[in-house]
Amino acid sequence: MLMTSDIRGGTVFKTGNDVVVVQRMLGIKGGRNGQVKRLRVKSILTGQTSELGLDMGEKFEDVSLDYHTMKLSYVDAETWVFMDQESFEQYELTKEDLGDNAGYMTPEDDFEVEVAFYEGKPVSVTLPTAIVRTITYCEPGIKGDTSGKSTKPATLDTGIEVAVPLFCDIGTKIMFDTRDGSFIERAK
Amino acid sequence: MTIDILCKVVDNFGDIGVAYRLAKALTDLDPSLALRLHVDDLVAFHALCPEVEPGREVQVVRGWTVLRWNADWAGLRERPPRAVLECFACGRPERFEEILYDSADPEPRYVVNIEHLTAESWAADFHLLPSATRSGLVRKWMFMPGFSEGTGGLIIDRRFREARESALALDGRAGGRAEGRARLADELAALGATLGAAATTGAGGGATALGAAAAPGAEGSATALGAAAAPGAEGGATALGAAAAPGAEPARAMLRDLAGRRWVSVFSYERDYGRVVEDLAAADRERPLAALAAAGRSQACFLAAWEAAGRPFPVLVLPFLPQEVWDEVILASDFSIVRGEESLARAALSGRPFLWHAYLQDGKHQLVKVRALLDRLRPQFGAADFGPVEEAFLAFNDRERDEPATAGRERISPFLAARSDEPFRAFAEGLAARGDLAAHLMTFLGKIR
């Protein structure tokens, strides 16, 4: 069974009579007893998107998926094209399908991803848990604040915005967690 | 309609406090509702509602069926759950879960997860959000208590509403507030409240003669419930209550005399109360006051600071009180220091000045919640008046999880100043005007079923 703590961007799970893929984590809020999550999901069966909540009290059936190792070949407007590293076949996923993951990768990246297939159709992508990207814009860094507890917005080389500690500057390479977009550490 | 309310007591009494009040409010709205309360800690429930017997698997209390968590009770199979209120995503007991997710039962089931109270703006984003479950027959939603439009509001059960209205009406009469406090003083005396006089705090801050509820580890246990200090106990604590000793009537009169003073109730997590006691002593010199030290985690700390300051004002040491009596204490107080969510809701609705001690979280995250509450309070104040209030809230709550509970720079004199009631009263009126969470919940259940 899948626990709610296992569910994040790209997770495919069965809810009710539907099979959905998590496109975006819209909010994770913590309280004393655990987190509540707000997700944008897309139904694999109907194609419809919706917002769903998740609290810590639920379990879900695993969904049988096939995984293939691929690399991002190129991006054509709203379509991300991946190449299977064994068969060299290409598969497409839309920017909407990728959700937050679309903002974490470029065709120039060297890392491999896992593309999940449901009944022969690509439905989601799992990136390495931690990747390194470069900050292309943020307010000047504040020296001395290495706690990481206060943050500021920063734009990455992929174009997305993430929260980074105050000491970060333009050009800083950072490692962050692709599961929730959180900063891990300054990359060496 | 049958409604199952599920509650797991994680720590302290906030969880069961909410579940209990919700049950009362729902019954107020519709006495024909069949409520079934599933609770994992009946000792804690008994503390708030003395009619609950901690040792029983299944019992009827106030017309509700109260079940120990995962009780093996045939009634669940005979009338399977259809409308379920889960408190704070507590999950379901194993037997209950099996029945809830029984695929052979074709009837739909509706689960509402009532989340923790927060003043943060995201509460409105999550309120009434459909929530995922693994079965198409079990539909679930989130329900967010809150302080703003777009949330479910606060629980206002009938007894609290009437007590509140009565307290606010007394404010309009000269001597009205003192009159209300005199009546309450009698009730507190009967429950075992004592005048603080003893100083035997000892190692670990355990007050001995000063109300058994102050004993370390006693919180929540049956022995802490209203056990008054023995007559002639060390330090001269005056004992009242059912086992009243000779001399009890003069002692009761002394408690009643406190009604003429301003009341400051103290109910928080552990912290150093040195600065607060200093401010209270200064305020007492201008206009007499008495502190009411609630049973629990702050009682020993507060008494220790009071003792160290030379006992500058009277202190009423409270035993653990039933929920309804604790409501009256907050409503009777001129200023309340409160912790947790349930007491925060009462203080916010009381129309009196209050200071909230938030649950300590990693990375000082409690300050995020405190700031959110301050943002809700701010519109009621002029800028000059709000600054000191804001400073006190933030200083009172500014601590890392592993830091000792030291005093900060909080000054509580702004809460005791003349006309300090007005902005808090306006805040309370706004909250009350949004209506009762239980009523909103019933309206929602009516729509989805």
Side-chain angles (χ1 to χ4, degrees):
Chain A
M1 297 290 267
L2 206 59
M3 312 299 289
T4 51
S5 55
D6 299 323
I7 294 175
R8 44 183 65 93
T11 303
V12 179
F13 67 99
K14 192 163 183 252
T15 172
N17 300 323
D18 202 357
V19 179
V20 300
V21 56
V22 179
Q23 290 187 321
R24 298 203 67 181
M25 304 294 288
L26 297 174
I28 302 176
K29 297 298 175 183
R32 284 187 295 131
N33 297 351
Q35 296 175 332
V36 288
K37 299 180 181 179
R38 191 167 138 245
L39 322 170
R40 177 167 306 132
V41 299
K42 179 177 175 179
S43 167
I44 289 173
L45 305 181
T46 67
Q48 279 193 317
T49 60
S50 59
E51 277 188 29
L52 266 187
L54 264 187
D55 59 55
M56 298 309 289
E58 297 301 331
K59 301 176 215 176
F60 300 89
E61 286 177 35
D62 290 312
V63 175
S64 180
L65 299 168
D66 293 315
Y67 292 91
H68 295 266
T69 303
M70 303 200 185
K71 275 192 179 180
L72 178 60
S73 275
Y74 62 92
V75 178
D76 179 13
E78 299 289 299
T79 302
W80 265 241
V81 181
F82 296 86
M83 180 179 284
D84 189 311
Q85 296 300 287
E86 288 185 5
S87 68
F88 303 105
E89 286 184 68
Q90 292 190 327
Y91 298 90
E92 295 178 357
L93 280 155
T94 66
K95 184 179 181 183
E96 189 191 57
D97 289 336
L98 292 169
D100 291 331
N101 284 332
Y104 298 152
M105 52 186 164
T106 69
E108 290 70 44
D109 293 331
D110 200 34
F111 56 76
E112 294 175 332
V113 301
E114 294 292 312
V115 177
F117 285 74
Y118 179 75
E119 297 184 349
K121 183 182 162 194
V123 293
S124 77
V125 163
T126 306
L127 273 63
T129 305
I131 61 174
V132 174
R133 298 244 69 101
T134 305
I135 294 174
T136 55
Y137 179 76
C138 68
E139 292 296 317
I142 298 173
K143 287 185 174 27
D145 181 353
T146 55
S147 68
K149 287 175 184 167
S150 298
T151 61
K152 62 184 178 183
T155 305
L156 302 181
D157 51 355
T158 54
I160 63 157
E161 197 175 271
V162 296
V164 299
L166 299 180
F167 63 80
C168 293
D169 264 317
I170 294 173
T172 303
K173 288 188 190 309
I174 63 166
M175 183 179 292
F176 70 96
D177 190 328
T178 59
R179 294 172 297 184
D180 58 11
S182 62
F183 173 87
I184 298 174
E185 61 184 13
R186 191 195 325 239
K188 296 174 181 56
Chain B
M1 177 164 66
T2 298
I3 296 180
D4 288 275
I5 300 177
L6 310 179
C7 176
K8 274 180 145 175
V9 178
V10 174
D11 56 11
N12 304 308
F13 292 88
D15 308 283
I16 187 61
V18 169
Y20 175 37
R21 192 178 299 278
L22 182 60
K24 286 189 285 187
L26 289 171
T27 302
D28 291 338
L29 287 171
D30 183 358
S32 72
L33 281 175
L35 296 185
R36 307 190 297 202
L37 279 65
H38 306 249
V39 180
D40 71 334
D41 186 345
L42 293 177
V43 170
F45 197 179
H46 168 77
L48 297 178
C49 177
E51 299 130 275
V52 171
E53 293 178 48
R56 295 185 63 179
E57 283 286 290
V58 185
Q59 59 192 291
V60 176
V61 175
R62 302 192 185 191
W64 313 321
T65 304
V66 176
L67 299 105
R68 184 186 299 284
W69 194 264
N70 209 33
D72 189 2
W73 183 54
L76 273 181
R77 287 262 174 223
E78 289 160 12
R79 274 179 300 127
R82 294 289 178 245
V84 181
L85 305 179
E86 214 179 293
C87 293
F88 321 121
C90 62
R92 279 81 53 180
E94 205 177 310
R95 290 188 179 92
F96 191 98
E97 177 90 345
E98 275 174 33
I99 297 169
L100 185 71
Y101 277 96
D102 182 3
S103 54
D105 178 356
E107 294 296 317
R109 283 79 86 173
Y110 304 91
V111 181
V112 178
N113 172 29
I114 299 172
E115 266 297 331
H116 289 288
L117 172 65
T118 181
E120 294 166 274
S121 56
W122 61 264
D125 296 331
F126 280 71
H127 185 51
L128 303 183
L129 190 63
S131 199
T133 77
R134 64 181 182 274
S135 166
L137 286 168
V138 180
R139 300 186 62 197
K140 189 171 186 180
W141 288 262
M142 289 193 179
F143 196 96
M144 301 296 302
F147 296 89
S148 58
E149 293 296 329
T151 67
L154 303 175
I155 305 173
I156 307 176
D157 57 288
R158 179 177 46 83
R159 181 160 171 174
F160 179 82
R161 186 178 64 248
E162 289 171 355
R164 176 182 180 271
E165 287 166 1
S166 172
L168 292 173
L170 284 173
D171 282 357
R173 285 203 335 246
R177 212 180 269 195
E179 184 186 312
R181 285 195 289 252
R183 283 199 295 270
L184 181 56
D186 279 349
E187 191 170 0
L188 293 173
L191 287 169
T194 58
L195 279 175
T200 319
T201 51
T208 53
L210 306 178
E219 186 180 6
S221 73
T223 56
L225 305 175
E234 186 175 0
T238 309
L240 301 167
E249 189 49 46
R252 193 188 299 272
M254 285 168 69
L255 278 189
R256 218 180 283 129
D257 283 346
L258 297 183
R261 291 174 169 258
R262 291 183 292 173
W263 278 14
V264 174
S265 57
V266 178
F267 176 59
S268 74
Y269 302 106
E270 297 86 348
R271 72 184 324 279
D272 185 331
Y273 267 95
R275 180 63 59 84
V276 171
V277 166
E278 223 176 87
D279 270 9
L280 289 176
D284 177 69
R285 287 190 286 275
E286 288 181 16
R287 237 182 93 200
L289 60 79
L292 282 74
R297 294 166 66 168
S298 57
Q299 193 175 70
C301 312
F302 183 80
L303 290 170
W306 171 74
E307 182 67 32
R311 309 177 194 165
F313 45 82
V315 171
L316 188 56
V317 182
L318 301 179
F320 199 100
L321 298 173
Q323 189 177 71
E324 293 85 354
V325 181
W326 176 241
D327 287 351
E328 304 245 15
V329 169
I330 292 182
L331 292 169
S333 296
D334 295 90
F335 167 48
S336 292
I337 297 175
V338 292
R339 75 172 203 224
E341 293 164 20
E342 230 294 298
S343 289
L344 167 61
R346 300 310 114 200
L349 286 163
S350 71
R352 314 277 192 251
F354 68 90
L355 173 58
W356 180 47
H357 201 195
Y359 190 83
L360 200 58
Q361 297 193 31
D362 289 330
K364 293 191 188 181
H365 189 74
Q366 69 274 10
L367 291 177
V368 171
K369 298 181 177 293
V370 172
R371 287 197 174 92
L373 178 63
L374 288 168
D375 286 343
R376 302 290 173 202
L377 277 168
R378 192 186 311 271
Q380 316 303 334
F381 288 79
D385 290 333
F386 191 64
V389 168
E390 183 176 33
E391 176 72 11
F393 263 82
L394 293 174
F396 203 82
N397 285 279
D398 190 359
R399 174 160 74 96
E400 290 282 4
R401 192 185 283 281
D402 52 358
E403 276 179 2
T406 54
R409 59 194 181 283
E410 69 275 356
R411 299 251 63 128
I412 58 154
S413 44
F415 298 92
L416 296 166
R419 292 205 314 278
S420 60
D421 278 25
E422 290 168 15
F424 288 97
R425 184 146 181 174
F427 182 58
E429 292 304 327
L431 293 175
R434 293 207 179 92
D436 166 31
L437 179 147
H440 298 318
L441 185 55
M442 289 304 292
T443 301
F444 180 64
L445 283 174
K447 280 186 192 162
I448 61 176
R449 292 180 73 241

